[in-house]
Amino acid sequence: MEKHKCDKCDRPATYHSVEIVNGKKIEKHLCEYHAAEEGLTFKVAHKPINELLTNFVKMHSQDQSSGPNELVCDHCGLTYAEFQERSLLGCPSCYQAFARPLDVLLARTHEGSTEHHGKIPSQSGFGEQHQQQLMRMRKRLDEAITAEDYELAAHLRDEIGKISGTAEGGETL
Amino acid sequence: MNLGRMTDHAGEWLRGTGPQSDIVVSSRVRLARNLAGYPFVNRAANRQRLEVLQRSRQQILEGQLAEDMIWVDLNECQPMDRQLLVERHLISRQHAKAGDELPRGVAVGLNESVSIMVNEEDHLRVQVLRSGMQLGEAFEQINRIDNELEKRLDFAFSQKYGYLTACPTNVGTGIRVSVMMHLPALKLTGEIDKVKRAAKDMHLAVRGMFGEGSDAIGDLFQISNQTTLGRGEQEILADFQHTVVPQIIAYEQQARQALVRQRPALLDDGIWRAWAVLNNARLMRTDEVLSLISQVRLGVTMGRLEMVSMRTLNELFLMTQPAHLQKLMGSDLDPAQRREARATLIRKRLGQA
Ligand SMILES: [Zn+2]
Ligand SMILES: [Zn+2]
């Protein structure tokens, strides 16, 4: 874009717009101050909309041979169709189970992003596999208690305690 | 814990102090966290929910995350007490109204500036609330709390997606940064829609604190980030600190100055009529109070009305809400009785001011 001076003063224009009013093209070039006076301009480096769209289309066109609605999370049993109804996921593993359709959704709601950028827990020793193993065992524990198999429950509780490095709250059960 | 003691004063965040508190009423930062190895609240077995609750409560209280931390068991609370916590912004409406079978609670500390909801939509929802424009301070505080919690509890986290949350709209940083702004002049001049459009371009949500959309009652608007994935906490915070909040403050101030220059009688008429009604009405609805207080507040911050303090206005703002009012009166009141009690309370308080 060619360099413009502000329409109202000598400062360089940082706000440019073209409007069509009654079939006539009206260009506006304003400095920060005068743009502010006219209305609002926020300048922040957000991803341009066409980049968002490209990402969106790219992900959407990937093969969807089996429809996403049939996807099921092995860990909590939630189906993608159920997720779409309630817009709540059932467990951390749902993020992997539904990764493909979810990435499309995430890109749409998070300015095109599908990856975390920010704080990472310092205790990163707790890997994802580890987290899943714990969840599986806690599920078995819950089933054992429901079935009143207290021997198995006690065993599982010990194992969970060893893995998680914390005493499992036996008194709560 | 005696929730009744809460009713006669406004929490820390409503003190009416802090930087730019004439326009920025309060700053809030919230983090969503889930314990690793458990399903999210909505899909956990009740036994697991109870376990999450008990572990979290123990670690929160032992961690000395904030001064004078107290625990409120929401299952054992009267509905009125839960409503009181909602009015004080310490728990969400959803957390107050969930069924009795859902074990849930909240820890509150440091003059109500810190609250941690357990078993809301996520296992933990940590919040720091400050009066005025104190987002930086609020973030530092919540980050310290998060670090301490992290030493004690393992959070569900993935390399790709960050902190994992029940709703994908919170995944990543799990952070929600928001400011509550009082924008009566922009509302009066109709320029509030420009703020909304500009905010939308930045992927920010603008909501009326009370009421919907542009009909925000009391001219209070909450502006918050919507993107939590792919942008760091500091980036999100910096948008608010260096761009959004200073600009909106500048526009509101411009609009206020324009009113003084161009239509001072219109401005003063609104302020003084509101003052007259507050001092004389015999029946008063909540939404009416909020609108009238908004006008008087504008008058006080612009130096056009000097017989009441911001502190008194903030206290009235809170005490005239249904649960607070009934707690103060010490009895259940039906809506008609509340309108009368509300008007009386206001006249009394303003008479002392
Ligand atoms: Zn200019
Ligand atoms: Zn799942």
Side-chain angles (χ1 to χ4, degrees), chain B residues 5-40:
Chain B
R5 272 200 332 220
M6 278 184 173
T7 45
D8 59 356
H9 66 279
E12 182 77 358
W13 63 276
L14 257 181
R15 272 192 318 171
T17 56
Q20 274 110 40
S21 60
D22 53 336
I23 293 175
V24 184
V25 178
S26 63
S27 308
R28 189 178 82 120
V29 181
R30 181 272 273 156
L31 295 177
R33 297 286 185 260
N34 285 280
L35 269 53
Y38 291 95
F40 298 136

PDB file of all heavy atoms in Angstrom, chain B residues 5-40:
ATOM      1  N   ARG B   5     -21.871 -13.013  57.984  1.00  0.00           N
ATOM      2  CA  ARG B   5     -20.935 -11.907  58.207  1.00  0.00           C
ATOM      3  C   ARG B   5     -20.552 -11.194  56.918  1.00  0.00           C
ATOM      4  O   ARG B   5     -20.075 -10.073  56.924  1.00  0.00           O
ATOM      5  CB  ARG B   5     -19.675 -12.437  58.886  1.00  0.00           C
ATOM      6  CG  ARG B   5     -19.774 -12.447  60.396  1.00  0.00           C
ATOM      7  CD  ARG B   5     -18.394 -12.501  60.991  1.00  0.00           C
ATOM      8  NE  ARG B   5     -17.457 -13.163  60.089  1.00  0.00           N
ATOM      9  CZ  ARG B   5     -16.514 -14.017  60.505  1.00  0.00           C
ATOM     10  NH1 ARG B   5     -16.387 -14.292  61.763  1.00  0.00           N
ATOM     11  NH2 ARG B   5     -15.698 -14.578  59.632  1.00  0.00           N
ATOM     12  N   MET B   6     -20.721 -11.903  55.802  1.00  0.00           N
ATOM     13  CA  MET B   6     -20.345 -11.323  54.521  1.00  0.00           C
ATOM     14  C   MET B   6     -21.259 -10.168  54.112  1.00  0.00           C
ATOM     15  O   MET B   6     -20.849  -9.272  53.400  1.00  0.00           O
ATOM     16  CB  MET B   6     -20.450 -12.379  53.418  1.00  0.00           C
ATOM     17  CG  MET B   6     -19.272 -13.296  53.307  1.00  0.00           C
ATOM     18  SD  MET B   6     -19.519 -14.377  51.888  1.00  0.00           S
ATOM     19  CE  MET B   6     -17.933 -15.220  51.839  1.00  0.00           C
ATOM     20  N   THR B   7     -22.524 -10.236  54.581  1.00  0.00           N
ATOM     21  CA  THR B   7     -23.524  -9.364  53.972  1.00  0.00           C
ATOM     22  C   THR B   7     -23.334  -7.875  54.219  1.00  0.00           C
ATOM     23  O   THR B   7     -23.756  -7.066  53.422  1.00  0.00           O
ATOM     24  CB  THR B   7     -24.943  -9.712  54.491  1.00  0.00           C
ATOM     25  OG1 THR B   7     -24.856  -9.880  55.893  1.00  0.00           O
ATOM     26  CG2 THR B   7     -25.446 -10.954  53.833  1.00  0.00           C
ATOM     27  N   ASP B   8     -22.714  -7.504  55.363  1.00  0.00           N
ATOM     28  CA  ASP B   8     -22.719  -6.081  55.686  1.00  0.00           C
ATOM     29  C   ASP B   8     -21.564  -5.299  55.081  1.00  0.00           C
ATOM     30  O   ASP B   8     -21.354  -4.137  55.393  1.00  0.00           O
ATOM     31  CB  ASP B   8     -22.771  -5.885  57.205  1.00  0.00           C
ATOM     32  CG  ASP B   8     -21.593  -6.551  57.886  1.00  0.00           C
ATOM     33  OD1 ASP B   8     -20.809  -7.203  57.166  1.00  0.00           O
ATOM     34  OD2 ASP B   8     -21.465  -6.423  59.109  1.00  0.00           O
ATOM     35  N   HIS B   9     -20.762  -5.913  54.270  1.00  0.00           N
ATOM     36  CA  HIS B   9     -19.692  -5.150  53.606  1.00  0.00           C
ATOM     37  C   HIS B   9     -19.487  -5.701  52.202  1.00  0.00           C
ATOM     38  O   HIS B   9     -19.874  -6.822  51.904  1.00  0.00           O
ATOM     39  CB  HIS B   9     -18.393  -5.248  54.400  1.00  0.00           C
ATOM     40  CG  HIS B   9     -17.840  -6.644  54.417  1.00  0.00           C
ATOM     41  ND1 HIS B   9     -18.316  -7.605  55.283  1.00  0.00           N
ATOM     42  CD2 HIS B   9     -16.904  -7.237  53.659  1.00  0.00           C
ATOM     43  CE1 HIS B   9     -17.661  -8.743  55.062  1.00  0.00           C
ATOM     44  NE2 HIS B   9     -16.812  -8.548  54.091  1.00  0.00           N
ATOM     45  N   ALA B  10     -18.880  -4.878  51.375  1.00  0.00           N
ATOM     46  CA  ALA B  10     -18.579  -5.329  50.024  1.00  0.00           C
ATOM     47  C   ALA B  10     -17.230  -6.021  50.037  1.00  0.00           C
ATOM     48  O   ALA B  10     -16.350  -5.653  50.784  1.00  0.00           O
ATOM     49  CB  ALA B  10     -18.546  -4.135  49.079  1.00  0.00           C
ATOM     50  N   GLY B  11     -17.085  -7.057  49.221  1.00  0.00           N
ATOM     51  CA  GLY B  11     -15.809  -7.763  49.126  1.00  0.00           C
ATOM     52  C   GLY B  11     -14.713  -6.847  48.601  1.00  0.00           C
ATOM     53  O   GLY B  11     -14.978  -5.739  48.126  1.00  0.00           O
ATOM     54  N   GLU B  12     -13.497  -7.339  48.745  1.00  0.00           N
ATOM     55  CA  GLU B  12     -12.316  -6.571  48.341  1.00  0.00           C
ATOM     56  C   GLU B  12     -12.461  -5.938  46.948  1.00  0.00           C
ATOM     57  O   GLU B  12     -12.164  -4.772  46.736  1.00  0.00           O
ATOM     58  CB  GLU B  12     -11.119  -7.524  48.372  1.00  0.00           C
ATOM     59  CG  GLU B  12      -9.787  -6.914  48.026  1.00  0.00           C
ATOM     60  CD  GLU B  12      -9.224  -6.106  49.183  1.00  0.00           C
ATOM     61  OE1 GLU B  12      -9.890  -6.007  50.229  1.00  0.00           O
ATOM     62  OE2 GLU B  12      -8.135  -5.563  49.012  1.00  0.00           O
ATOM     63  N   TRP B  13     -12.994  -6.719  46.030  1.00  0.00           N
ATOM     64  CA  TRP B  13     -13.020  -6.262  44.637  1.00  0.00           C
ATOM     65  C   TRP B  13     -14.029  -5.145  44.404  1.00  0.00           C
ATOM     66  O   TRP B  13     -13.978  -4.473  43.392  1.00  0.00           O
ATOM     67  CB  TRP B  13     -13.280  -7.437  43.707  1.00  0.00           C
ATOM     68  CG  TRP B  13     -14.626  -8.072  43.943  1.00  0.00           C
ATOM     69  CD1 TRP B  13     -14.924  -9.006  44.874  1.00  0.00           C
ATOM     70  CD2 TRP B  13     -15.841  -7.798  43.245  1.00  0.00           C
ATOM     71  NE1 TRP B  13     -16.251  -9.344  44.810  1.00  0.00           N
ATOM     72  CE2 TRP B  13     -16.837  -8.624  43.825  1.00  0.00           C
ATOM     73  CE3 TRP B  13     -16.189  -6.951  42.184  1.00  0.00           C
ATOM     74  CZ2 TRP B  13     -18.147  -8.612  43.378  1.00  0.00           C
ATOM     75  CZ3 TRP B  13     -17.495  -6.947  41.754  1.00  0.00           C
ATOM     76  CH2 TRP B  13     -18.461  -7.773  42.339  1.00  0.00           C
ATOM     77  N   LEU B  14     -14.953  -4.948  45.333  1.00  0.00           N
ATOM     78  CA  LEU B  14     -15.938  -3.877  45.156  1.00  0.00           C
ATOM     79  C   LEU B  14     -15.598  -2.672  46.021  1.00  0.00           C
ATOM     80  O   LEU B  14     -16.450  -1.859  46.307  1.00  0.00           O
ATOM     81  CB  LEU B  14     -17.338  -4.386  45.510  1.00  0.00           C
ATOM     82  CG  LEU B  14     -18.262  -4.706  44.341  1.00  0.00           C
ATOM     83  CD1 LEU B  14     -19.614  -5.171  44.841  1.00  0.00           C
ATOM     84  CD2 LEU B  14     -18.424  -3.550  43.380  1.00  0.00           C
ATOM     85  N   ARG B  15     -14.346  -2.582  46.458  1.00  0.00           N
ATOM     86  CA  ARG B  15     -13.971  -1.486  47.337  1.00  0.00           C
ATOM     87  C   ARG B  15     -14.036  -0.137  46.634  1.00  0.00           C
ATOM     88  O   ARG B  15     -14.076   0.899  47.259  1.00  0.00           O
ATOM     89  CB  ARG B  15     -12.558  -1.690  47.867  1.00  0.00           C
ATOM     90  CG  ARG B  15     -12.517  -2.502  49.142  1.00  0.00           C
ATOM     91  CD  ARG B  15     -11.153  -2.412  49.744  1.00  0.00           C
ATOM     92  NE  ARG B  15     -10.122  -2.518  48.700  1.00  0.00           N
ATOM     93  CZ  ARG B  15      -8.835  -2.304  48.913  1.00  0.00           C
ATOM     94  NH1 ARG B  15      -8.414  -1.963  50.094  1.00  0.00           N
ATOM     95  NH2 ARG B  15      -7.978  -2.433  47.932  1.00  0.00           N
ATOM     96  N   GLY B  16     -13.992  -0.186  45.298  1.00  0.00           N
ATOM     97  CA  GLY B  16     -14.015   1.069  44.553  1.00  0.00           C
ATOM     98  C   GLY B  16     -12.660   1.743  44.552  1.00  0.00           C
ATOM     99  O   GLY B  16     -12.541   2.930  44.308  1.00  0.00           O
ATOM    100  N   THR B  17     -11.619   0.962  44.825  1.00  0.00           N
ATOM    101  CA  THR B  17     -10.263   1.521  44.768  1.00  0.00           C
ATOM    102  C   THR B  17      -9.498   0.819  43.662  1.00  0.00           C
ATOM    103  O   THR B  17     -10.061   0.039  42.921  1.00  0.00           O
ATOM    104  CB  THR B  17      -9.538   1.279  46.104  1.00  0.00           C
ATOM    105  OG1 THR B  17      -9.560  -0.116  46.363  1.00  0.00           O
ATOM    106  CG2 THR B  17     -10.211   2.021  47.234  1.00  0.00           C
ATOM    107  N   GLY B  18      -8.199   1.114  43.590  1.00  0.00           N
ATOM    108  CA  GLY B  18      -7.395   0.490  42.550  1.00  0.00           C
ATOM    109  C   GLY B  18      -7.311   1.404  41.362  1.00  0.00           C
ATOM    110  O   GLY B  18      -8.148   2.291  41.182  1.00  0.00           O
ATOM    111  N   PRO B  19      -6.276   1.185  40.527  1.00  0.00           N
ATOM    112  CA  PRO B  19      -6.049   2.058  39.376  1.00  0.00           C
ATOM    113  C   PRO B  19      -7.270   2.126  38.452  1.00  0.00           C
ATOM    114  O   PRO B  19      -7.916   1.113  38.225  1.00  0.00           O
ATOM    115  CB  PRO B  19      -4.877   1.395  38.649  1.00  0.00           C
ATOM    116  CG  PRO B  19      -4.239   0.490  39.653  1.00  0.00           C
ATOM    117  CD  PRO B  19      -5.288   0.105  40.626  1.00  0.00           C
ATOM    118  N   GLN B  20      -7.563   3.303  37.961  1.00  0.00           N
ATOM    119  CA  GLN B  20      -8.649   3.515  36.985  1.00  0.00           C
ATOM    120  C   GLN B  20     -10.002   2.986  37.448  1.00  0.00           C
ATOM    121  O   GLN B  20     -10.836   2.608  36.638  1.00  0.00           O
ATOM    122  CB  GLN B  20      -8.293   2.837  35.656  1.00  0.00           C
ATOM    123  CG  GLN B  20      -7.455   3.682  34.741  1.00  0.00           C
ATOM    124  CD  GLN B  20      -6.044   3.144  34.613  1.00  0.00           C
ATOM    125  OE1 GLN B  20      -5.843   1.944  34.541  1.00  0.00           O
ATOM    126  NE2 GLN B  20      -5.088   4.037  34.590  1.00  0.00           N
ATOM    127  N   SER B  21     -10.208   2.981  38.769  1.00  0.00           N
ATOM    128  CA  SER B  21     -11.443   2.359  39.241  1.00  0.00           C
ATOM    129  C   SER B  21     -12.669   3.205  38.912  1.00  0.00           C
ATOM    130  O   SER B  21     -13.789   2.765  39.123  1.00  0.00           O
ATOM    131  CB  SER B  21     -11.369   2.084  40.746  1.00  0.00           C
ATOM    132  OG  SER B  21     -11.178   3.299  41.427  1.00  0.00           O
ATOM    133  N   ASP B  22     -12.484   4.429  38.395  1.00  0.00           N
ATOM    134  CA  ASP B  22     -13.647   5.190  37.955  1.00  0.00           C
ATOM    135  C   ASP B  22     -14.306   4.526  36.748  1.00  0.00           C
ATOM    136  O   ASP B  22     -15.507   4.671  36.535  1.00  0.00           O
ATOM    137  CB  ASP B  22     -13.274   6.647  37.636  1.00  0.00           C
ATOM    138  CG  ASP B  22     -12.110   6.757  36.668  1.00  0.00           C
ATOM    139  OD1 ASP B  22     -11.312   5.791  36.586  1.00  0.00           O
ATOM    140  OD2 ASP B  22     -11.999   7.787  35.982  1.00  0.00           O
ATOM    141  N   ILE B  23     -13.533   3.775  35.958  1.00  0.00           N
ATOM    142  CA  ILE B  23     -14.098   3.119  34.783  1.00  0.00           C
ATOM    143  C   ILE B  23     -13.961   1.599  34.855  1.00  0.00           C
ATOM    144  O   ILE B  23     -14.887   0.864  34.524  1.00  0.00           O
ATOM    145  CB  ILE B  23     -13.450   3.666  33.485  1.00  0.00           C
ATOM    146  CG1 ILE B  23     -13.855   5.136  33.315  1.00  0.00           C
ATOM    147  CG2 ILE B  23     -13.874   2.851  32.271  1.00  0.00           C
ATOM    148  CD1 ILE B  23     -13.205   5.845  32.172  1.00  0.00           C
ATOM    149  N   VAL B  24     -12.815   1.128  35.323  1.00  0.00           N
ATOM    150  CA  VAL B  24     -12.642  -0.318  35.472  1.00  0.00           C
ATOM    151  C   VAL B  24     -13.065  -0.710  36.890  1.00  0.00           C
ATOM    152  O   VAL B  24     -12.368  -0.436  37.850  1.00  0.00           O
ATOM    153  CB  VAL B  24     -11.181  -0.752  35.238  1.00  0.00           C
ATOM    154  CG1 VAL B  24     -11.065  -2.280  35.295  1.00  0.00           C
ATOM    155  CG2 VAL B  24     -10.675  -0.227  33.909  1.00  0.00           C
ATOM    156  N   VAL B  25     -14.218  -1.310  37.012  1.00  0.00           N
ATOM    157  CA  VAL B  25     -14.721  -1.671  38.342  1.00  0.00           C
ATOM    158  C   VAL B  25     -13.879  -2.799  38.936  1.00  0.00           C
ATOM    159  O   VAL B  25     -13.432  -2.723  40.068  1.00  0.00           O
ATOM    160  CB  VAL B  25     -16.203  -2.102  38.283  1.00  0.00           C
ATOM    161  CG1 VAL B  25     -16.705  -2.509  39.657  1.00  0.00           C
ATOM    162  CG2 VAL B  25     -17.043  -0.966  37.714  1.00  0.00           C
ATOM    163  N   SER B  26     -13.640  -3.839  38.146  1.00  0.00           N
ATOM    164  CA  SER B  26     -12.860  -4.947  38.682  1.00  0.00           C
ATOM    165  C   SER B  26     -12.126  -5.720  37.593  1.00  0.00           C
ATOM    166  O   SER B  26     -12.490  -5.664  36.412  1.00  0.00           O
ATOM    167  CB  SER B  26     -13.765  -5.901  39.469  1.00  0.00           C
ATOM    168  OG  SER B  26     -14.723  -6.462  38.612  1.00  0.00           O
ATOM    169  N   SER B  27     -11.081  -6.414  38.021  1.00  0.00           N
ATOM    170  CA  SER B  27     -10.281  -7.258  37.135  1.00  0.00           C
ATOM    171  C   SER B  27     -10.381  -8.692  37.633  1.00  0.00           C
ATOM    172  O   SER B  27     -10.364  -8.927  38.832  1.00  0.00           O
ATOM    173  CB  SER B  27      -8.806  -6.860  37.187  1.00  0.00           C
ATOM    174  OG  SER B  27      -8.646  -5.482  36.970  1.00  0.00           O
ATOM    175  N   ARG B  28     -10.458  -9.625  36.697  1.00  0.00           N
ATOM    176  CA  ARG B  28     -10.606 -11.011  37.100  1.00  0.00           C
ATOM    177  C   ARG B  28      -9.767 -11.918  36.211  1.00  0.00           C
ATOM    178  O   ARG B  28      -9.702 -11.714  34.992  1.00  0.00           O
ATOM    179  CB  ARG B  28     -12.072 -11.422  36.958  1.00  0.00           C
ATOM    180  CG  ARG B  28     -12.416 -12.766  37.551  1.00  0.00           C
ATOM    181  CD  ARG B  28     -13.903 -13.045  37.393  1.00  0.00           C
ATOM    182  NE  ARG B  28     -14.155 -13.563  36.058  1.00  0.00           N
ATOM    183  CZ  ARG B  28     -14.698 -14.763  35.827  1.00  0.00           C
ATOM    184  NH1 ARG B  28     -15.064 -15.531  36.814  1.00  0.00           N
ATOM    185  NH2 ARG B  28     -14.899 -15.181  34.604  1.00  0.00           N
ATOM    186  N   VAL B  29      -9.106 -12.889  36.813  1.00  0.00           N
ATOM    187  CA  VAL B  29      -8.426 -13.932  36.041  1.00  0.00           C
ATOM    188  C   VAL B  29      -8.905 -15.268  36.570  1.00  0.00           C
ATOM    189  O   VAL B  29      -9.032 -15.453  37.767  1.00  0.00           O
ATOM    190  CB  VAL B  29      -6.886 -13.842  36.160  1.00  0.00           C
ATOM    191  CG1 VAL B  29      -6.219 -14.918  35.319  1.00  0.00           C
ATOM    192  CG2 VAL B  29      -6.391 -12.469  35.729  1.00  0.00           C
ATOM    193  N   ARG B  30      -9.200 -16.178  35.672  1.00  0.00           N
ATOM    194  CA  ARG B  30      -9.711 -17.489  36.069  1.00  0.00           C
ATOM    195  C   ARG B  30      -8.924 -18.573  35.338  1.00  0.00           C
ATOM    196  O   ARG B  30      -8.573 -18.408  34.168  1.00  0.00           O
ATOM    197  CB  ARG B  30     -11.201 -17.548  35.713  1.00  0.00           C
ATOM    198  CG  ARG B  30     -11.891 -18.820  36.080  1.00  0.00           C
ATOM    199  CD  ARG B  30     -11.782 -19.851  34.996  1.00  0.00           C
ATOM    200  NE  ARG B  30     -12.811 -19.773  33.989  1.00  0.00           N
ATOM    201  CZ  ARG B  30     -12.660 -20.238  32.760  1.00  0.00           C
ATOM    202  NH1 ARG B  30     -11.527 -20.759  32.353  1.00  0.00           N
ATOM    203  NH2 ARG B  30     -13.646 -20.164  31.891  1.00  0.00           N
ATOM    204  N   LEU B  31      -8.589 -19.659  36.036  1.00  0.00           N
ATOM    205  CA  LEU B  31      -7.917 -20.799  35.419  1.00  0.00           C
ATOM    206  C   LEU B  31      -8.782 -22.048  35.569  1.00  0.00           C
ATOM    207  O   LEU B  31      -9.351 -22.284  36.630  1.00  0.00           O
ATOM    208  CB  LEU B  31      -6.562 -21.079  36.088  1.00  0.00           C
ATOM    209  CG  LEU B  31      -5.457 -20.030  35.957  1.00  0.00           C
ATOM    210  CD1 LEU B  31      -4.232 -20.475  36.756  1.00  0.00           C
ATOM    211  CD2 LEU B  31      -5.078 -19.799  34.504  1.00  0.00           C
ATOM    212  N   ALA B  32      -8.876 -22.824  34.489  1.00  0.00           N
ATOM    213  CA  ALA B  32      -9.590 -24.099  34.546  1.00  0.00           C
ATOM    214  C   ALA B  32      -8.570 -25.229  34.606  1.00  0.00           C
ATOM    215  O   ALA B  32      -7.643 -25.269  33.804  1.00  0.00           O
ATOM    216  CB  ALA B  32     -10.479 -24.252  33.314  1.00  0.00           C
ATOM    217  N   ARG B  33      -8.707 -26.115  35.575  1.00  0.00           N
ATOM    218  CA  ARG B  33      -7.764 -27.226  35.740  1.00  0.00           C
ATOM    219  C   ARG B  33      -8.522 -28.509  36.065  1.00  0.00           C
ATOM    220  O   ARG B  33      -9.555 -28.477  36.734  1.00  0.00           O
ATOM    221  CB  ARG B  33      -6.788 -26.951  36.894  1.00  0.00           C
ATOM    222  CG  ARG B  33      -5.882 -25.729  36.693  1.00  0.00           C
ATOM    223  CD  ARG B  33      -4.795 -26.030  35.673  1.00  0.00           C
ATOM    224  NE  ARG B  33      -3.825 -24.957  35.523  1.00  0.00           N
ATOM    225  CZ  ARG B  33      -3.844 -24.049  34.533  1.00  0.00           C
ATOM    226  NH1 ARG B  33      -4.819 -24.071  33.639  1.00  0.00           N
ATOM    227  NH2 ARG B  33      -2.895 -23.138  34.453  1.00  0.00           N
ATOM    228  N   ASN B  34      -7.992 -29.637  35.584  1.00  0.00           N
ATOM    229  CA  ASN B  34      -8.587 -30.929  35.913  1.00  0.00           C
ATOM    230  C   ASN B  34      -7.514 -31.871  36.441  1.00  0.00           C
ATOM    231  O   ASN B  34      -6.376 -31.830  35.987  1.00  0.00           O
ATOM    232  CB  ASN B  34      -9.248 -31.539  34.674  1.00  0.00           C
ATOM    233  CG  ASN B  34     -10.556 -30.844  34.338  1.00  0.00           C
ATOM    234  OD1 ASN B  34     -11.585 -31.116  34.945  1.00  0.00           O
ATOM    235  ND2 ASN B  34     -10.506 -29.906  33.401  1.00  0.00           N
ATOM    236  N   LEU B  35      -7.888 -32.697  37.393  1.00  0.00           N
ATOM    237  CA  LEU B  35      -6.951 -33.671  37.949  1.00  0.00           C
ATOM    238  C   LEU B  35      -6.683 -34.763  36.922  1.00  0.00           C
ATOM    239  O   LEU B  35      -7.617 -35.243  36.275  1.00  0.00           O
ATOM    240  CB  LEU B  35      -7.517 -34.275  39.242  1.00  0.00           C
ATOM    241  CG  LEU B  35      -7.150 -33.556  40.539  1.00  0.00           C
ATOM    242  CD1 LEU B  35      -7.488 -32.085  40.469  1.00  0.00           C
ATOM    243  CD2 LEU B  35      -7.860 -34.201  41.719  1.00  0.00           C
ATOM    244  N   ALA B  36      -5.416 -35.128  36.786  1.00  0.00           N
ATOM    245  CA  ALA B  36      -5.044 -36.175  35.837  1.00  0.00           C
ATOM    246  C   ALA B  36      -5.603 -37.512  36.297  1.00  0.00           C
ATOM    247  O   ALA B  36      -5.744 -37.758  37.491  1.00  0.00           O
ATOM    248  CB  ALA B  36      -3.525 -36.260  35.716  1.00  0.00           C
ATOM    249  N   GLY B  37      -5.947 -38.330  35.316  1.00  0.00           N
ATOM    250  CA  GLY B  37      -6.354 -39.688  35.646  1.00  0.00           C
ATOM    251  C   GLY B  37      -7.782 -39.848  36.117  1.00  0.00           C
ATOM    252  O   GLY B  37      -8.138 -40.895  36.662  1.00  0.00           O
ATOM    253  N   TYR B  38      -8.580 -38.825  35.952  1.00  0.00           N
ATOM    254  CA  TYR B  38     -10.014 -38.935  36.258  1.00  0.00           C
ATOM    255  C   TYR B  38     -10.808 -38.453  35.048  1.00  0.00           C
ATOM    256  O   TYR B  38     -10.357 -37.564  34.330  1.00  0.00           O
ATOM    257  CB  TYR B  38     -10.415 -38.031  37.428  1.00  0.00           C
ATOM    258  CG  TYR B  38      -9.884 -38.441  38.779  1.00  0.00           C
ATOM    259  CD1 TYR B  38      -8.712 -37.875  39.259  1.00  0.00           C
ATOM    260  CD2 TYR B  38     -10.572 -39.358  39.561  1.00  0.00           C
ATOM    261  CE1 TYR B  38      -8.226 -38.236  40.516  1.00  0.00           C
ATOM    262  CE2 TYR B  38     -10.086 -39.715  40.813  1.00  0.00           C
ATOM    263  CZ  TYR B  38      -8.915 -39.146  41.289  1.00  0.00           C
ATOM    264  OH  TYR B  38      -8.440 -39.499  42.507  1.00  0.00           O
ATOM    265  N   PRO B  39     -12.019 -38.979  34.855  1.00  0.00           N
ATOM    266  CA  PRO B  39     -12.896 -38.373  33.846  1.00  0.00           C
ATOM    267  C   PRO B  39     -13.259 -36.950  34.293  1.00  0.00           C
ATOM    268  O   PRO B  39     -13.102 -36.622  35.469  1.00  0.00           O
ATOM    269  CB  PRO B  39     -14.132 -39.261  33.855  1.00  0.00           C
ATOM    270  CG  PRO B  39     -13.756 -40.505  34.575  1.00  0.00           C
ATOM    271  CD  PRO B  39     -12.653 -40.136  35.509  1.00  0.00           C
ATOM    272  N   PHE B  40     -13.735 -36.115  33.376  1.00  0.00           N
ATOM    273  CA  PHE B  40     -14.212 -34.782  33.754  1.00  0.00           C
ATOM    274  C   PHE B  40     -15.470 -34.932  34.610  1.00  0.00           C
ATOM    275  O   PHE B  40     -16.106 -35.998  34.616  1.00  0.00           O
ATOM    276  CB  PHE B  40     -14.508 -33.943  32.510  1.00  0.00           C
ATOM    277  CG  PHE B  40     -13.287 -33.697  31.655  1.00  0.00           C
ATOM    278  CD1 PHE B  40     -13.346 -33.821  30.270  1.00  0.00           C
ATOM    279  CD2 PHE B  40     -12.072 -33.319  32.236  1.00  0.00           C
ATOM    280  CE1 PHE B  40     -12.222 -33.593  29.475  1.00  0.00           C
ATOM    281  CE2 PHE B  40     -10.945 -33.098  31.463  1.00  0.00           C
ATOM    282  CZ  PHE B  40     -11.027 -33.230  30.083  1.00  0.00           C
TER     283      PHE B  40
END
